[in-house]
Amino acid sequence: MRIDIITVLPEIIEGALHTSILKRAQEKGLVEFGLHNLRDYTLDKHKRVDDYPFGGEAGMVMQIEPIDRAINYLKSQRDYDEVIFTTPDGEQFTQSTANELSLKENIILLCGHYKGVDYRVREHLVTREISIGDFVLTGGELVAAMIADAVVRVIPGAIGDEQSALSDSFQDGLLAPPVYTRPAEYKGWKVPEVLLSGHERKIAEWRHEQAVGRTRKLRPDLFK
């Protein structure tokens, strides 16, 4: 899989792409990243990629020309399954989205910035718009790093224990059940006896009950 990221602040993302699971996935040849500074695709001598909005609204808007050049350059190198724009008003990113994207071969992540992008980018150049929540960040770089991490970690072989990723929260529509490790008792706080019993069926039932209970309490919206 290849993930190309277009950004005005590549330094925000570089560390995340070369750490932990993302680093190991690249070393295993499971994923390849391309990090592209949008300023390299502008013809402006000052490397500006933004301008004032028509109509007099506050803030600055990312220009369509350098974005179009960057995307066209990447498309001249290979075919892409998705060109994704990170934006607060996009579709909500979920574990299901991560699972779906992990099956793609090549994707582009375009990081939003400033007041946003010239809307013609959204109308003509991207195939999908993704949000990680109803709030606004300075730019989409952190969002792109989060999407990359969530997508890559479910690629088979990216993490040592593949069952671990499959048992994460949201994989089955529920929050994950509580987990415990040694010592079995600490300051009088005990691990539930069923987890020490070795009875696989009872443990599985307990875990499911806990997952359902935690989901009803903390995320009742998931039952809809």
Side-chain angles (χ1 to χ4, degrees), residues 59-201:
M60 303 294 283
V61 178
M62 295 175 71
Q63 297 172 305
I64 187 172
E65 292 177 270
I67 294 174
D68 185 38
R69 289 193 191 95
I71 291 175
N72 280 334
Y73 169 76
L74 293 176
K75 285 186 172 181
S76 72
Q77 305 299 305
R78 61 187 57 82
D79 294 326
Y80 286 90
D81 302 293
E82 297 277 13
V83 179
I84 299 169
F85 174 50
T86 62
T87 174
D89 57 354
E91 67 174 277
Q92 194 76 22
F93 185 73
T94 65
Q95 186 61 52
S96 177
T97 312
N99 294 346
E100 176 194 347
L101 292 177
S102 74
L103 301 176
K104 306 295 185 182
E105 186 173 351
N106 302 310
I107 64 175
I108 293 174
L109 295 175
L110 170 63
C111 301
H113 209 73
Y114 308 116
K115 189 67 176 180
V117 297
D118 185 306
Y119 203 76
R120 288 168 291 186
V121 171
R122 302 175 70 169
E123 291 177 314
H124 302 290
L125 299 180
V126 303
T127 62
R128 197 165 185 173
E129 301 175 350
I130 287 181
S131 167
I132 61 166
D134 297 335
F135 53 90
V136 178
L137 297 172
T138 302
E141 285 75 20
L142 296 177
V143 179
M146 292 170 65
I147 291 173
D149 186 277
V151 169
V152 171
R153 72 187 309 277
V154 295
I155 296 176
I159 61 178
D161 183 357
E162 295 180 13
Q163 290 302 313
S164 177
L166 296 177
S167 62
D168 285 342
S169 288
F170 308 112
Q171 284 289 11
D172 57 359
L174 299 171
L175 299 184
V179 292
Y180 300 86
T181 189
R182 295 178 178 83
E185 182 175 347
Y186 178 71
K187 291 187 176 180
W189 306 328
K190 298 181 179 180
V191 172
E193 288 294 334
V194 64
L195 296 179
L196 308 175
S197 69
H199 197 301
E200 292 185 6
R201 181 179 60 79

Side-chain angles (χ1 to χ4, degrees), residues 29-44:
L30 299 175
V31 64
E32 181 181 7
F33 289 106
L35 200 53
H36 308 273
N37 191 328
L38 185 61
R39 299 185 193 280
D40 293 337
Y41 296 89
T42 181
L43 300 181
D44 182 87

